[in-house]
Amino acid sequence: QPAASSSSSITMEFSDSLVSSERCGVYIVEQSAVVTSSWQLDSEDIAELRSGQVVTVLEVKHLTEHARLRGRLLEPVGWISLVDTTAHRCWAEQVQCGLYSVVLGTDVTHNESVSSEDVAEVVEGQTVTVLEVVHCPDDARIRGR
């Protein structure tokens, strides 16, 4: 769990550089979201995501005229609205890198696969810095490096 006590609020000021690079990554769907075939809001609906699903966002586009951040997904292939920047509605929230407190001791592995070689152990209460977050659907986990 995150070690910082601040809430996971979303910054509502967006620059093109923030949108293009820092907003990509692993997201947890907060409320039902429709996956569409393109970044345009009126594009064809192709799937629906449920609250709690984990997705990987590869690209983010800021639609200023619609006050939306749209994310291009790895799987299912398509686009979802991430945030309504005016109404502060959030469909999916990014899993952040940074300081985390370990709540259950576990092994640290050589790479993102849970079956890779153990290289260290973290214990309950220890603070760790997560530099990268990846979604491992085959292991049904979100892993941090």
Side-chain angles (χ1 to χ4, degrees):
Q1 78 180 28
S5 61
S6 65
S7 66
S8 57
S9 63
I10 297 168
T11 304
M12 289 298 157
E13 296 177 23
F14 303 101
S15 69
D16 289 339
S17 62
L18 173 69
V19 171
S20 64
S21 62
E22 295 178 23
R23 296 299 246 166
C24 297
V26 177
Y27 281 72
I28 298 175
V29 176
E30 297 290 318
Q31 55 184 306
S32 294
V34 174
V35 180
T36 61
S37 59
S38 83
W39 58 266
Q40 298 166 318
L41 292 175
D42 60 355
S43 60
E44 177 186 2
D45 294 357
I46 55 175
E48 185 169 342
L49 301 174
R50 298 176 321 277
S51 178
Q53 282 187 266
V54 177
V55 294
T56 300
V57 173
L58 302 173
E59 176 184 355
V60 176
K61 188 166 186 67
H62 186 195
L63 307 180
T64 39
E65 66 279 8
H66 298 288
R68 293 279 176 94
L69 283 184
R70 300 271 292 161
R72 182 172 62 87
L73 305 180
L74 175 66
E75 183 68 32
V77 175
W79 291 76
I80 64 168
S81 289
L82 300 170
V83 177
D84 179 322
T85 60
T86 302
H88 304 277
R89 180 177 181 193
C90 177
W91 286 272
E93 188 159 349
Q94 188 174 19
V95 179
Q96 299 293 319
C97 294
L99 290 178
Y100 281 78
S101 293
V102 176
V103 295
L104 181 65
T106 190
D107 293 322
V108 177
T109 58
H110 178 70
N111 63 36
E112 64 201 38
S113 171
V114 294
S115 59
S116 67
E117 178 186 358
D118 292 346
V119 295
E121 183 179 352
V122 292
V123 296
E124 182 179 337
Q126 185 175 350
T127 301
V128 296
T129 301
V130 174
L131 303 173
E132 176 185 15
V133 177
V134 293
H135 178 214
C136 303
D138 291 342
D139 295 326
R141 299 196 182 182
I142 297 173
R143 305 264 300 170
R145 178 180 64 84

